Every structure is written in structure tokens, then in C-alpha cells.
Amino acid sequence: MGSLQNSLESIVEVPVRKVLGSAIARERDFLAVEEPLEIRIGYHFKERPMAKSISLTMRTPGHDVELAAGFLVGEGIIRDPSEIVEIRHLGPAARNEVQVDLHPSVDIDITRLDRHFYTTSSCGVCGKTSLEAIEAQGAPGIPAEGFAVELSLIHSLPGLAREFQPVFSQTGGLHAAALFDGQGALLSLREDVGRHNALDKLIGRQFLDSHLPLRHHILLVSGRASFELLQKAVMAAIPVVAAIGAPSSLAVELANRANITLLGFVRNNQFNIYSAPWRILS
């Protein structure tokens, strides 16, 4: 199954004053840690070793190696674990800097490294440009047939995931991404203050274990289904994406174009099917 636990450094204890009606009591509370992570890439250009910073994200410490790998997969920069020589923190004191060193034979498009990665829904990129950019990255593709799941299985996913959200149980302040097989078995789960970071960690682990593409799996995300989450699902070839919250319009458009079955409001024994409904068997 792989590790389902975040490290202890993901939680911090703070003093609070809790108000109950007209009474005020001094207590302790647990918060999810949020710190910046700089992702750098080491590559060769004209046989010369180079290094470049490509992303700065606010994340919950832990599983940083997976996060970096998953981010590069989602952006179409790497496609196979053999392209990576090493993923490392830059020194013992630099826990917020990670460098992905690529094999000298890996050909990197320098202009792609200079662009602004659209990792948030407020990136300002128009829908048409965003969708075309995903297709240009060479996603592995998701067949329109060959994988379907029972309706009752979808209802069970939120409860199964909640059992393995240790940091959320203590803080209530984290997003989660969970991966299930076609029989509803939980394979892996990652938590983070950023929903896109949680999914990068999840996909990064599967990538490093050489399990991509994930054409017979189900992804459950704890919040809404935004465009950037669907982008990452497309690059990992996940056919079913279920969200506890609502999808955005661009996420639905991308799901339709990529043959992804997108489910929203998966809670309280109900959900909406926004695309590719044939994969849900009643």
C-alpha cells in the first residue's frame, strides 16, 4: 500500500483561547504546518551541467521528493523514472529546497522551464489555451472503454479515505488525495495544505514506483475538482476522478475531452456525474 502517514513535522501545537458561549478557556490546538518549497531542476545544456528554479509552492512538509516528481510529471517534463538520477534536498539545513537531477541524456526544452506554471485556477490563462497546452504535453491517453466501477463503490470512498487522514483528524486543515483500485481498495493517500500538492505527492509516489499510467484506478480528492487537479489526472491517465466538492466548468470541459469520468459532491450517499457516465454501473 505504501506509507499513509505524514511525518510529525506536519503538525504544530499552539496556545488558543476557546470561546464556549460566554466562557473563555485557555487550551492547546493543533495546526497543519505550511512552508514554502522551491523545486529546482538539474539538467545538461550543450553538455554543461545547469540548475534552474522552476516552482515555488506552499506545502505541508513531508513527502517532498514525491511532490517534486509528481509536479514534473504533471507538467510533462519527465515521463519515466529512469530520466531521474536523484531527487535531493539541497543540504541538511535546506529542507525547503529540493532539486531533481536529470540524466544527461534527457532533452529539456529551456523555453518551457521559463514559462509560468499554471498551478492555480487564478492563473489568468484562457480556457482554450489551457486545454491545448495539456494536449500538447503528450498525455498518455485514457481509453473510452475497458474500466468501470459499481455505483455503490463510489459511495464508500470518502469513509475509507477518512480512516487514513491522520493529520486532518488532528487539525481539520488539510486536503487529501486518495488512490483506489477498481475494487475499492485504498492504495495510497497523501495530505497537504494545498490540494494540488497532495495530488502531486500521490502521483509522484506512483511514478517513482513505475506504476504509471493509472488506467484502472480511481482518484478521490477532498475538496473541489479544479482544472489543475484534472490536468494532473490526465497526465497520470486516471479514468475516474471523484471530488467531495464541486467541479469547475473548465475541469468538466477537460474531463469530457480526456474521457475522464468526473464525479462531484461525493458525500452523504449521493453524487453528480459530469462526464463519461458509462463507467458508473448501477
Side-chain angles (χ1 to χ4, degrees):
M1 178 183 293
S3 172
L4 295 175
Q5 298 290 329
N6 268 346
S7 61
L8 293 177
E9 64 184 358
S10 302
I11 302 174
V12 62
E13 187 177 357
V14 299
V16 298
R17 285 175 170 81
K18 180 170 288 188
V19 178
L20 297 172
S22 60
I24 300 177
R26 293 175 180 266
E27 294 191 13
R28 310 290 291 182
D29 193 18
F30 294 96
L31 302 179
V33 174
E34 183 177 29
E35 293 182 359
L37 178 69
E38 180 183 4
I39 300 176
R40 300 176 59 83
I41 189 169
Y43 62 101
H44 283 71
F45 179 68
K46 295 183 178 179
E47 300 184 353
R48 294 177 53 194
M50 310 284 286
K52 187 177 185 66
S53 176
I54 61 172
S55 178
L56 181 66
T57 184
M58 301 301 295
R59 92 326 185 175
T60 301
H63 304 121
D64 291 339
V65 167
E66 299 173 353
L67 196 164
F71 177 78
L72 295 181
V73 170
E75 293 295 333
I77 295 175
I78 56 176
R79 305 181 186 281
D80 191 273
S82 63
E83 297 176 326
I84 299 175
V85 175
E86 182 183 17
I87 305 179
R88 56 192 171 90
H89 284 88
L90 297 178
R95 79 170 191 166
N96 291 333
E97 295 178 76
V98 169
Q99 180 160 312
V100 182
D101 292 319
L102 302 181
H103 195 276
S105 63
V106 177
D107 185 23
I108 293 295
D109 184 351
I110 306 299
T111 58
R112 277 180 51 77
L113 297 182
D114 288 331
R115 77 177 180 85
H116 296 290
F117 292 109
Y118 42 89
T119 57
T120 69
S121 58
S122 59
C123 60
V125 181
C126 74
K128 183 175 185 295
T129 302
S130 300
L131 293 169
E132 290 176 348
I134 295 297
E135 295 170 351
Q137 289 173 6
I142 302 172
E145 300 177 351
F147 181 73
V149 296
E150 295 290 339
L151 183 151
S152 58
L153 185 152
I154 301 298
H155 290 317
S156 70
L157 301 184
L160 293 172
R162 182 61 61 85
E163 295 178 18
F164 293 93
Q165 292 182 248
V167 182
F168 177 84
S169 298
Q170 290 186 274
T171 68
L174 288 185
H175 290 284
L179 186 70
F180 298 85
D181 65 16
Q183 287 69 51
L186 178 61
L187 304 178
S188 184
L189 183 146
R190 292 292 183 265
E191 297 180 284
D192 198 277
V193 289
R195 60 173 60 88
H196 56 285
N197 290 335
L199 184 50
D200 277 340
K201 292 177 179 181
L202 183 76
I203 291 176
R205 181 72 269 157
Q206 300 302 308
F207 172 78
L208 294 172
D209 290 340
S210 299
H211 291 162
L212 297 189
L214 301 170
R215 292 193 175 100
H216 295 86
H217 296 74
I218 306 165
L219 170 66
L220 175 70
V221 294
S222 60
R224 64 186 181 88
S226 58
F227 168 77
E228 68 268 19
L229 295 189
L230 265 293
Q231 167 202 349
K232 296 175 188 298
V234 168
M235 297 305 291
I238 302 174
V240 179
V241 177
I244 301 299
S248 69
S249 61
L250 193 56
V252 173
E253 186 174 351
L254 178 55
N256 275 305
R257 291 177 66 155
N259 286 322
I260 288 178
T261 300
L262 178 57
L263 314 176
F265 301 105
V266 183
R267 56 180 187 261
N268 301 325
N269 213 40
Q270 62 185 14
F271 59 87
N272 294 342
I273 305 174
Y274 292 90
S275 59
W278 59 83
R279 288 200 184 92
I280 306 301
L281 305 177
S282 62

